[in-house]
Amino acid sequence: MSGPVDVARAARPSIRGGDRLDRPQLSQVPYLPGLDGIRALAVVAVMVYHANSDWLAGGYLGVEVFFVISGYLITLLIIAEHERTGGFDLRDFWIRRAKRLLPAVFLMMLLLTVWVALFERDALGQLRGDVIAGVLYSSNWYQIWIGAGYSAGSDFAPLRHLWSLAVEEQFYLLWPLAMLVFVKAGSRKIARLAIWLFLAAVAINVLIALVDYSGPQQTPELTPEAYWFIGDRPISKPDFLYLSTFTRAGGLLLGAAFAMVWRPNAIMRGPLASKGRLFDVLGGVGIAVLGIMAVVVTFDPSVGVHDFLFNGGLFVTGLASLALVAAVTHRGTVLAPALSNPVLLWIGTRSYGLYLYHWPIYQIIRNIAANKLAFHEFVLAMVVTCVITEASYRWVETPIRRGTWRNPFRRSRRSGGVGGVGGSGVDLDGQRGFPGGRPALVGGAVVGVALTVFAGASLATAELRQNEVAEELASNQDNVCDVLVEDCSTDDDATDDDATDPESSGSVDDSATVEDDGASEGVTDPGTDEAADDPEGEASDGVAGLDDPSADDATDPAATTAPPTTAALPPVQRLAVGDSVMLGAAEELEQLGFAVDAAESRSFGNGLDVVSGLQDTDRLGDYVVVHLGTNGPIDTAELDQMMTALQSVPNVVLVENDVDRDWEAGNNAALAAAAAANPNAQLLYWSGLAGDCSGDCIYNDGIHLKSTGARYYSRLLAGLLGLDVPESLLEPAS
């Protein structure tokens, strides 16, 4: 997302023979303040959405508006320069773009790296890749490759917003090369080319709709249809469609096509000059469409992109943006001056800086990407963002863009004493130098260099670490079991089943662990661990080893040729099925005797598959706990199927969701109704009880359990089911 494009304010005086006398004026690109007004509305929408999506569900569409404006202005500038001069200075164009874009983004990344090196050192390792991608303007491709789009909500991710700047910078790099070919065709052919660019934008949106994956997106193992695979690397389809340069080129191409047929100076000399009121209506429709979509259209990558977005929503946004551009670039409209008021102009001319700085400041305040800001936090963030943006615009961006950044330093060298003549900061010619004079200049340079070296060294040597939620969930993987393909019997299960195997008839304690019924000497078969860690859930070899008593007999040829056993797996007397919230308490639930089948990003439908599979094989036992719905809305038909499958289970607990998402209230109402309608079911009011946990119970994302919260969670379930609580779950938090 870029700020105002530098426009030519004067035409070359030379006119080639045969040109009309007013040709230079027609080819000029005048300053269009109404476009700054559109930028202001777009960047405010994006900032509000990033602060709290509840306030403006479709505010992210402001990025598409910026793409349209960028495509329009860049193409208009290229055409105008070629018509005035007969050529296009590619080198000069890129230098002007670099002066406009690079200083602020490099300054932002430097300041952020210093902050993280001082106060968020655990995040330095992950920040390193983001900084490198930011420097190379490839953040969008980097995020696609590592799977760190906006859906990766538990990270401290202060540079995630750079993806849109990467898209624009790649456009600035490649599009002028294409335009060098196009402009040689002449004005009439350029106008016809606009039709092809429009059709290309249509084709991109059609292709997006064809490959779009709709529905809850879980891990690659659970929803492989939501990914493409490059070797073993999963590439999220929604992330690719939302972040890639190709799929987001539609808005840029629409803007470029419009520039080929809509030049403001030429329009005001033609029959459309008197149609200001018509374009006011057109612009009003554009604002209305954008406003309605900003309020109504939702986008949450954790449950898939709203069908409308990738099935024409982006294209409609582009068309509405073009209507608004047409209105504000027509000098006879009322809308143009209305969007050129001082407040909108200030925001619009600084939109680049506002976009650059707001997201890192949000992250510093909330620490977790997916957390929503409270209103007072948003006000604080806006004050800090505006102050930093203004300082950057006034003392970094503008001087570098105009080539005047050396002047204060030169004046300070010419001035005498501290701060100039008499310490005033004014040199002998009356020009203001660097505040504080040469000592302040030298001191500031030393501090700046020292901080830069410190931040760079810290970034380069930092250990790459996962966020604390990911580390906690990974540590609990040893305590989960794929109940559909593994024997997840616990000591409590063996007692309940009156097992006669002398190897498994020892004393039973409350801290039950997963055992191997068929393993000799009471040692877990390696196949069990292999099955538990198999990301594809294809643990047939491990299961065969568990069920075949001769599996360890290497001298028996039948041991290597016999087909897998078809012996039925035993019932799961105590089953816990859930998503990442339950995964955080897997160790504690295992101590209560539960076989825990929990997975990150699991949808309700996937949990239903687990329960239905056990019901079909008559393996459901006496206790089932279901905690699903964190990752998306619960389909009532699937909930009904779940309760039907659990009819034979004497004790069922449905756990409410405590997740600050749009679907929380609907999910909890459906779960409460299901519990009330089924005599064998109870409801754990987790959304109300989670806040009563004493101590440090929940991670900063407000969803996942720390060890203290996991013990509390397990004690609540045990109390509801009348189970004995082992002493290990009563210990105070460490």
Side-chain angles (χ1 to χ4, degrees):
M1 179 178 297
S2 66
V5 177
D6 300 323
V7 297
R9 295 181 181 270
R12 299 285 179 89
S14 60
I15 302 176
R16 289 176 171 79
D19 284 350
R20 290 173 50 188
L21 194 60
D22 61 354
R23 187 73 175 188
Q25 286 74 28
L26 288 176
S27 299
Q28 276 187 317
V29 180
Y31 173 58
L32 303 166
L35 291 181
D36 282 330
I38 300 177
R39 286 193 185 95
L41 297 177
V43 78
V44 168
V46 171
M47 291 190 298
V48 171
Y49 171 78
H50 282 167
N52 191 323
S53 59
D54 292 341
W55 298 340
L56 198 63
Y60 62 91
L61 292 174
V63 173
E64 190 71 4
V65 177
F66 269 91
F67 287 162
V68 172
I69 295 175
S70 293
Y72 175 73
L73 278 176
I74 292 301
T75 305
L76 198 63
L77 286 169
I78 295 173
I79 294 174
E81 181 175 338
H82 185 269
E83 289 187 349
R84 289 197 315 270
T85 68
F88 177 67
D89 192 333
L90 191 60
R91 178 175 176 273
D92 180 66
F93 172 83
W94 283 335
I95 289 175
R96 283 187 285 116
R97 289 291 84 214
K99 286 182 177 180
R100 178 67 187 95
L101 299 175
L102 298 185
V105 72
F106 286 173
L107 176 63
M108 181 273 292
M109 288 193 290
L110 174 60
L111 294 175
L112 175 67
T113 304
V114 171
W115 173 276
V116 175
L118 291 173
F119 304 110
E120 296 279 355
R121 293 190 64 85
D122 286 347
L124 274 171
Q126 288 194 352
L127 183 67
R128 180 170 52 238
D130 288 322
V131 168
I132 294 172
V135 170
L136 298 176
Y137 274 97
S138 58
S139 295
N140 61 327
W141 297 111
Y142 175 70
Q143 291 176 26
I144 290 169
W145 181 251
I146 67 172
Y150 283 101
S151 58
S154 295
D155 288 329
F156 173 73
L159 293 179
R160 191 165 292 170
H161 66 314
L162 293 186
W163 75 269
S164 66
L165 300 182
V167 171
E168 289 207 6
E169 190 66 15
Q170 291 159 32
F171 173 74
Y172 297 152
L173 181 65
L174 298 175
W175 185 243
L177 297 175
M179 285 300 296
L180 284 178
V181 177
F182 298 153
V183 293
K184 293 180 180 179
S187 299
R188 291 184 178 180
K189 290 186 178 180
I190 280 287
R192 289 198 292 268
L193 179 63
I195 299 175
W196 292 103
L197 291 182
F198 179 84
L199 293 176
V202 172
I204 288 173
N205 282 275
V206 170
L207 182 61
I208 289 173
L210 291 176
V211 302
D212 174 36
Y213 168 79
S214 59
Q217 182 184 9
Q218 304 175 66
T219 61
E221 295 78 25
L222 296 176
T223 54
E225 64 276 12
Y227 296 84
W228 292 299
F229 291 87
I230 302 177
D232 294 331
R233 170 76 62 172
I235 303 297
S236 164
K237 290 181 181 179
D239 280 354
F240 181 88
L241 296 181
Y242 191 76
L243 299 173
S244 81
T245 307
F246 173 75
T247 54
R248 296 311 297 268
L252 293 162
L253 292 179
L254 284 176
F258 194 57
M260 293 177 176
V261 296
W262 185 270
R263 287 182 293 169
N265 282 351
I267 291 298
M268 296 311 297
R269 292 175 178 244
L272 294 179
S274 61
K275 305 296 183 182
R277 296 298 172 264
L278 173 64
F279 285 98
D280 273 327
V281 173
L282 186 64
V285 172
I287 289 180
V289 171
L290 291 173
I292 291 171
M293 291 198 300
V295 172
V296 175
V297 176
T298 61
F299 170 45
D300 195 305
S302 65
V303 296
V305 177
H306 191 287
D307 286 342
F308 177 69
L309 181 67
F310 286 166
N311 288 270
L314 290 175
F315 187 69
V316 171
T317 302
L319 293 181
S321 301
L322 289 183
L324 195 51
V325 169
V328 302
T329 55
H330 191 292
R331 297 172 198 167
T333 62
V334 175
L335 196 57
L339 291 180
S340 303
N341 66 74
V343 174
L344 291 181
L345 287 183
W346 186 92
I347 297 173
T349 54
R350 291 153 180 80
S351 57
Y352 178 56
L354 291 169
Y355 184 80
L356 270 181
Y357 292 107
H358 87 281
W359 178 264
I361 291 169
Y362 284 6
Q363 298 311 98
I364 289 172
I365 291 175
R366 62 189 173 195
N367 197 48
I368 297 293
N371 283 358
K372 298 175 180 178
L373 292 180
F375 183 74
H376 70 279
E377 293 175 324
F378 173 65
V379 172
L380 172 63
M382 284 295 94
V383 170
V384 176
T385 298
C386 289
V387 170
I388 294 177
T389 295
E390 179 63 22
S392 174
Y393 182 80
R394 181 172 298 185
W395 293 316
V396 177
E397 299 169 55
T398 301
I400 291 177
R401 187 172 69 251
R402 293 178 177 175
T404 61
W405 64 274
R406 297 183 184 88
N407 293 352
F409 300 96
R410 290 169 176 167
R411 292 167 187 155
S412 294
R413 288 199 298 269
R414 294 201 306 266
S415 62
V418 178
V421 177
S424 65
V426 179
D427 67 15
L428 298 176
D429 297 325
Q431 300 295 319
R432 184 163 296 278
F434 193 87
R438 186 180 300 175
L441 175 61
V442 173
V446 170
V447 172
V449 170
L451 286 175
T452 300
V453 171
F454 165 72
S458 299
L459 190 70
T461 59
E463 177 187 0
L464 181 60
R465 297 183 56 181
Q466 292 181 302
N467 64 69
E468 57 183 359
V469 174
E471 289 181 345
E472 176 67 21
L473 296 180
S475 69
N476 279 340
Q477 289 295 333
D478 291 338
N479 303 103
V480 298
C481 179
D482 187 344
V483 295
L484 292 180
V485 297
E486 296 179 67
D487 182 356
C488 302
S489 302
T490 66
D491 285 338
D492 286 343
D493 292 336
T495 301
D496 293 339
D497 294 340
D498 295 326
T500 58
D501 186 349
E503 293 293 337
S504 58
S505 61
S507 61
V508 177
D509 60 26
D510 288 326
S511 57
T513 58
V514 177
E515 285 190 359
D516 171 18
D517 288 345
S520 61
E521 300 180 355
V523 179
T524 303
D525 191 296
T528 304
D529 290 335
E530 179 182 348
D533 293 336
D534 181 2
E536 301 295 334
E538 297 171 355
S540 59
D541 292 340
V543 174
L546 290 176
D547 293 331
D548 186 356
S550 61
D552 293 331
D553 187 359
T555 61
D556 184 358
T560 59
T561 59
T565 180
T566 57
L569 294 171
V572 183
Q573 294 301 326
R574 298 182 182 180
L575 170 67
V577 177
D579 48 39
S580 58
V581 179
M582 179 179 281
L583 178 58
E587 180 180 357
E588 289 75 14
L589 290 173
E590 192 179 41
Q591 294 177 45
L592 288 175
F594 281 93
V596 182
D597 193 323
E600 294 182 64
S601 302
R602 174 175 276 170
S603 69
F604 191 90
N606 181 264
L608 172 61
D609 291 340
V610 174
V611 172
S612 297
L614 293 177
Q615 192 257 348
D616 290 342
T617 55
D618 198 24
R619 294 182 58 214
L620 290 172
D622 295 330
Y623 300 90
V624 174
V625 175
V626 177
H627 191 163
L628 296 165
T630 302
N631 299 301
I634 296 175
D635 184 275
T636 53
E638 291 182 339
L639 181 56
D640 290 342
Q641 294 176 45
M642 174 78 76
M643 301 314 298
T644 299
L646 293 174
Q647 281 182 343
S648 62
V649 179
N651 302 283
V652 175
V653 173
L654 304 178
V655 183
E656 270 193 335
N657 299 150
D658 183 37
V659 52
D660 186 15
R661 298 292 185 270
D662 296 338
W663 53 83
E664 178 191 22
N667 283 359
N668 289 344
L671 291 169
N678 292 270
N680 63 331
Q682 302 180 74
L683 184 70
L684 177 62
Y685 296 92
W686 179 240
S687 62
L689 294 172
D692 295 336
C693 180
S694 59
D696 191 12
C697 300
I698 309 292
Y699 282 105
N700 287 337
D701 64 359
I703 300 173
H704 294 96
L705 301 171
K706 293 186 175 182
S707 58
T708 302
R711 293 175 182 178
Y712 172 71
Y713 176 91
S714 301
R715 290 198 301 270
L716 289 176
L717 286 171
L720 197 61
L721 292 171
L723 303 176
D724 292 333
V725 179
E727 291 185 5
S728 58
L729 298 183
L730 299 175
E731 295 175 358
S734 57

